Each structure stands twice: as structure tokens, then as C-alpha cells.
Amino acid sequence: MFAPSRFHHWHLHITKTAAVIIAIFGLYIGGYAALYRVSEYHSLHNKANAWLLHSHRHITFDVDIGRRVFPRPTIILKNVVLTETDGITPALRVGELRIGIAWHSLWSTVTLEKLVLNEAKGQLVRDAAGNWSIHDFWQTGAQHSALFNRILVKNSELMIRDAHLGCVKL
């Protein structure tokens, strides 16, 4: 009978290992290319401002967008500014905003899973009628709704003003 040589055994092992490494590398490159397509600056800027159109708010961020593929596809925006409804006055400033999206978002409709706000500064105001200054975000209609599994706020400062209770700084 023919017995495989040690060389044949090692050659087969090296071939399988190389195939796995090439597959992982291809998956990473493909994922990064798809993430880049989803997070291209002009497209992302236009989509964000279209989503805010009903509120007359605007959002700006740096052109240099960071991206991470693992452990979840993440878009990293720097120097984000969200305006008040006048479209000019800053309502929220965020040094770094990380947007974690679902894996299927790279090939189909985008699903936002996680927001991380680092170095954010802003305020929430509740008027005498009980309306919050951000109530317009929830009046977007089904076409523009956004759901998140979680929102994390780190190293930030939030001022809450209430017409009846006064001011609280968090």
C-alpha cells in the first residue's frame, strides 16, 4: 500500500492554512470596501441632513471618516455639530461619534445598533408645556425612524433645563 509521506502531509496542511488566511483577508477587504461604500462622506452627510430635514436642523462633521470592520462595522465621525431648529445655533457638539451598524447593513438597508458619543456637550430643554427640545426627532415618520440597541455617552457634559424644576448639569 501507498503511505503518504510527511512532505505530502505538511504540504496539505500548509495549503489549507493558506486558503483560510486568504479567505479571512478577502472577507476583511470585502467588508471594509462595503463599509467604505456605506460611509462615504458626501453620501453620509446628505443622508444625515435629509433625515433631519423635517426638523430644520443640520449636522456637520469632519471629512476624514474613520472605519472599523471588527468586531462590528463602525463608522467614526469627528467634530460633529448638530444645530437647533434654527439651523445655525449648535445644540450638540460631539468630539467623536462612533456608529455601530449591523453586518447586513454592508449589503442591504442600514441598521444602526450602537451609538457612542465621546466628549459631547449639549443641553436638553423642557418647556412649560412639557415638550423636550429634541421632540422633533421622534416625529420623523416610519420612513426615517431610527432604533438603537444602545447609546453610550462618555466623558461628556449634558445640561438639562426644565421650565418647572430648573437646571441640572450631568
Side-chain angles (χ1 to χ4, degrees), residues 70-87:
F70 294 109
R72 108 176 3 97
T74 302
I75 300 165
I76 304 166
L77 304 177
K78 302 274 187 176
N79 301 315
V80 178
V81 177
L82 175 68
T83 68
E84 293 286 357
T85 55
D86 65 6

Side-chain angles (χ1 to χ4, degrees), residues 157-170:
E157 185 177 302
L158 181 62
M159 182 73 70
I160 299 175
R161 296 182 189 274
D162 186 281
H164 299 293
L165 300 175
C167 183
V168 176
K169 184 177 180 181
L170 302 174

Side-chain angles (χ1 to χ4, degrees), residues 46-62:
N46 291 340
K47 286 178 187 175
N49 281 298
W51 189 78
L52 294 169
L53 187 62
H54 71 283
S55 68
H56 305 289
R57 295 176 186 266
H58 298 285
I59 191 166
T60 59
F61 46 86
D62 287 353

Side-chain angles (χ1 to χ4, degrees), residues 10-11 16 24 33 46 56-57 59 70 74 76 84 97 99 111 115 145-146 149 151:
W10 281 104
H11 178 62
K16 286 181 182 179
I24 290 171
N46 291 340
H56 305 289
R57 295 176 186 266
I59 191 166
F70 294 109
T74 302
I76 304 166
E84 293 286 357
L97 174 64
I99 307 165
T111 301
L115 285 181
S145 63
N149 287 340
I151 298 174

Side-chain angles (χ1 to χ4, degrees), residues 1-21:
M1 294 188 99
F2 175 72
S5 68
R6 284 187 168 185
F7 174 76
H8 179 71
H9 175 72
W10 281 104
H11 178 62
L12 189 60
H13 181 69
I14 290 172
T15 303
K16 286 181 182 179
T17 302
V20 168
I21 290 171

